[in-house]
Amino acid sequence: MLVAPGGGGPPAGSGARRDASGGAGAEVVVGAVGSRAFDGETPVRWVWDDTWRWYPRLLADGVRVERCLDLRLAHRVLRGSAAVAGGSALSSAAASALFDGPPVAPDEPVADSLFEVAPSAPQPSLDECESELAAQDDAVVGSAQPARLRLLLVAESAGALAAAEMRHAGMPWDRAVHDEVLTAQLGPRPAGDARPARMAELAAQVRSALDAPRLNPDSLPDVLRELRRNGLAVRSTSRWELQGLDHPAVEPLLAYKKLSRLHSANGWAWLDRWVPDGRFRPEYVVGGVVTGRWGSSGGGALQIPKQVRSAVRADEGWRLVVADAAQLEPRVLAGLARDERMAEAGRGRDLYAGIVDAGVVETRELAKVGMLGALYGGTTGASAAVLPRLARAFPSALGLVEAAARAGERGEVVSTLLGRSSPRPGAAWSELQSSALDVDAGSAAESRARAQTRAWGRFTRNFVVQGTAAEWALCWIADLRRRLWAMGASAAPGSAAAPFAGRPHLVYFLHDELVVHTPAAMADAVAEAVRAAAAVAGRLLFGEFPVDFPLTVASVESYAEAKG
DNA sequence: GCAATAAGCGCG
DNA sequence: AAAGCGCGCTTATTGC
């Protein structure tokens, strides 16, 4: 039981306590379960071990938390950061036991499970939270870049709040529209485990074309064998290897694979499991990716195929504001490297078009392929061919990713702008490296070691950009979340769950793209807020360095209408 | 029998 | 003509 905002003090037994030493502003340390601002006015930053443990229940009670510090997320960032000196209290066994590791299960019953929820990780006491907070504070203050790290920690924590809120509110999903999409492509929903009609037809065509009446098109080895038996020199059954081959089995096989994917990943079973009530509630895993991007768990929230996005529909009287940061990663690179020419190429326009206008390459497609090659470490084809021209035009930017790659190849750690560091290569890495140095190491061992070295270099090359882009996106969503709440409620119909009734709120986030569900009357203001938040994110990361982060923003009824 | 792995494809 | 980064999920297969 919790006290709603505007109510009295902390609930009995909550264990909430005012923190006297927490730096600027009042802070509340929450060891078990928390409460609201004590004076009702000072913005309070809740400090708790794990947002995902506590926040779902607060939201279920209609309570929104404005700001927090997630000790578990912060712990992980600080422990891994090259900017933080080792040997602090953060690395004590006690701190590790309590604050290391993945987020724990929410403190709420799981409705659809017959079984007990797995026992949660040990719950830190109030005192343990306080001493962890103090240790983190010391680590930040004593670090090479306290301001940036502090920004990273609060942005990551705000992301955790947003993630829990998005799951709570859910993405509005029209089951009937989804069913129409499936029926149009697959045929009517089959009973039981039967193949949908359209897939069965295609399977029959494949069997007949390959003269293999008993072939199971879902068995990759069998399909490969039959393709070869029919004279097709393929190494795998992947689409890019098959398409364009001149054989009557190819077209139905590719069509089958496409439908099979739709059916198994986002078919009726998915719909029943993940959208029982007209809302899709994915579990986001904040910081779930090494680079700081979010991951997801269950439901494939980050892989919703374009095919079914028409089922994402605003409630009656509401709109979806869909925003997408254009060419985010190259722009982030321009900012990171303070590459003025590259920033200039993207100012007020499509960055790739700007690269063409600057006379660096001939076409937008080349500019894009070349930039992606620079970010990912491409070494072949058109991408590699234009790399020298990009390097000449943008020496700072290309130099930065090149340096990150070289550092990784040496086995060193690289870091994002705000101080998230890459993992060190594992023990197997160094073993393979040193084994290649043995006097009697064969050339095979040497080339394996070389391939591994380059692969790690590609990882660190991309890490600095992808990770800093993730930081930009966290700042974007954090600032937007604040703005949306400040806009207040309108008298819109619809069924947004408390505390978001009548209010614009985030419902989806995908690396460089987000969706807000808003009362229709507020859609324009939301679009404005989304842009303003992007500008703030740019300033938070890059200060006055003049790099733009333009967005495409659309106010639509259906997610499928946005973008192209 | 079950768990781990591989292939393939969806997203950025 | 997909080459290079990061993921999650499903199915079939392989390993114990």
Side-chain angles (χ1 to χ4, degrees):
Chain A
M1 190 206 62
L2 289 152
V3 178
S14 72
R17 181 192 301 174
R18 187 186 291 271
D19 177 33
S21 63
E27 292 202 333
V28 175
V29 174
V30 178
V33 76
S35 122
R36 51 178 291 279
F38 289 105
D39 61 13
E41 298 201 5
T42 313
V44 163
R45 186 180 301 285
W46 294 42
V47 179
W48 51 28
D49 62 310
D50 189 329
T51 307
W52 183 234
R53 187 204 292 271
W54 301 118
Y55 199 26
R57 167 154 296 189
L58 290 169
L59 287 165
D61 287 339
V63 176
R64 175 182 180 272
V65 165
E66 172 74 15
R67 308 193 300 169
C68 82
L69 177 65
D70 185 309
L71 293 172
R72 181 181 302 275
L73 290 172
H75 184 97
R76 231 177 40 212
V77 168
L78 294 173
R79 278 298 304 275
S81 177
V84 171
S88 76
L90 287 181
S91 39
S92 74
S96 300
L98 289 166
F99 297 100
D100 240 343
V104 303
D107 173 42
E108 59 175 3
V110 175
D112 63 356
S113 172
L114 295 173
F115 306 99
E116 286 294 303
V117 178
S120 296
Q123 183 179 312
S125 70
L126 205 54
D127 284 342
E128 286 163 338
C129 284
E130 291 213 40
S131 73
E132 172 68 13
L133 176 62
Q136 293 191 2
D137 227 42
D138 288 349
V140 170
V141 169
S143 76
Q145 38 176 6
R148 287 177 176 182
L149 273 175
R150 204 172 285 287
L151 174 58
L152 176 54
L153 301 189
V154 300
E156 183 102 329
S157 298
L161 294 175
E165 289 167 1
M166 287 192 285
R167 178 182 168 85
H168 173 72
M171 195 183 199
W173 202 288
D174 190 321
R175 288 178 48 96
V177 171
H178 192 139
D179 180 68
E180 281 166 26
V181 170
L182 296 178
T183 303
Q185 304 211 29
L186 299 165
R189 179 174 192 169
D193 293 340
R195 255 190 202 119
R198 184 71 192 127
M199 284 174 66
E201 284 166 27
L202 290 164
Q205 289 175 29
V206 171
R207 291 193 189 106
S208 141
L210 290 176
D211 192 26
R214 309 184 57 95
L215 175 66
N216 169 13
D218 293 320
S219 169
L220 301 177
D222 293 0
V223 169
L224 187 59
R225 183 164 35 78
E226 294 303 331
L227 288 170
R228 285 185 159 144
R229 199 173 58 77
N230 281 266
L232 292 168
V234 288
R235 282 174 38 261
S236 75
T237 66
S238 69
R239 195 174 68 211
W240 69 265
E241 186 148 5
L242 294 183
Q243 67 191 4
L245 292 182
D246 184 25
H247 190 281
V250 168
E251 196 194 315
L253 180 56
L254 292 178
Y256 178 89
K257 284 155 71 88
K258 185 88 181 164
L259 292 186
S260 169
R261 166 82 193 188
L262 174 65
H263 180 239
S264 66
N266 295 96
W268 290 280
W270 180 92
L271 191 59
D272 288 345
R273 170 74 181 81
W274 294 103
V275 194
D277 60 350
R279 288 288 190 271
F280 174 43
R281 303 174 194 281
E283 177 181 334
Y284 294 101
V285 184
V286 175
V289 178
V290 274
T291 57
R293 276 185 174 184
W294 293 7
S296 71
S297 165
L302 307 185
Q303 306 140 253
I304 297 171
K306 300 213 156 85
Q307 274 169 307
V308 304
R309 291 187 181 185
S310 56
V312 181
R313 298 188 67 88
D315 287 352
E316 194 68 37
W318 290 58
R319 304 284 287 179
L320 298 173
V321 173
V322 181
D324 178 296
Q327 306 100 38
L328 176 59
E329 292 195 351
R331 291 173 189 278
V332 161
L333 173 57
L336 255 183
R338 307 196 97 72
D339 190 315
E340 301 199 1
R341 282 197 62 197
M342 195 162 147
E344 166 61 30
R347 193 157 310 133
R349 62 184 158 181
D350 179 282
L351 173 65
Y352 301 132
I355 292 177
V356 173
D357 291 349
V360 180
V361 297
E362 291 76 27
T363 66
R364 182 181 189 279
E365 200 45 36
L366 265 187
K368 180 176 178 176
V369 168
M371 274 312 308
L372 292 180
L375 297 177
Y376 296 160
T379 55
T380 61
S383 158
V386 298
L387 223 51
R389 278 186 273 170
L390 290 174
R392 218 172 313 128
F394 311 116
S396 306
L398 278 281
L400 187 142
V401 284
E402 205 52 42
R406 298 288 95 80
E409 290 174 358
R410 292 191 298 268
E412 297 168 9
V413 163
V414 297
S415 297
T416 61
L417 179 66
L418 297 187
R420 191 189 309 267
S421 297
S422 66
R424 292 181 187 287
W429 194 87
S430 11
E431 265 171 45
L432 186 54
Q433 293 301 315
S434 51
S435 76
L437 295 174
D438 282 356
V439 277
D440 48 18
S443 62
E446 280 176 24
S447 75
R448 265 204 312 278
R450 208 164 23 241
Q452 182 189 246
T453 297
R454 293 209 188 100
W456 197 258
R458 288 193 300 272
F459 165 63
T460 52
R461 168 195 295 269
N462 186 248
F463 181 95
V464 294
V465 179
Q466 186 183 122
T468 305
E471 288 164 351
W472 181 90
L474 279 174
C475 292
W476 184 34
I477 199 174
D479 192 64
L480 176 61
R481 176 181 172 273
R482 242 177 13 84
R483 286 172 190 272
L484 293 178
W485 185 258
M487 289 169 65
S490 86
S495 55
F500 301 111
R503 292 174 176 271
H505 56 278
L506 284 152
V507 293
Y508 191 59
F509 177 59
L510 181 57
H511 308 318
D512 59 359
E513 180 178 342
L514 54 78
V515 180
V516 175
H517 194 207
T518 179
M522 302 170 85
D524 288 345
V526 167
E528 200 40 55
V530 169
R531 292 187 196 283
V536 165
R539 275 196 302 279
L540 281 172
L541 261 66
F542 304 113
E544 294 312 306
F545 182 78
V547 57
D548 276 3
F549 292 94
L551 310 176
T552 51
V553 184
S555 169
V556 293
E557 262 176 45
S558 153
Y559 190 13
E561 298 165 42
K563 216 182 163 185

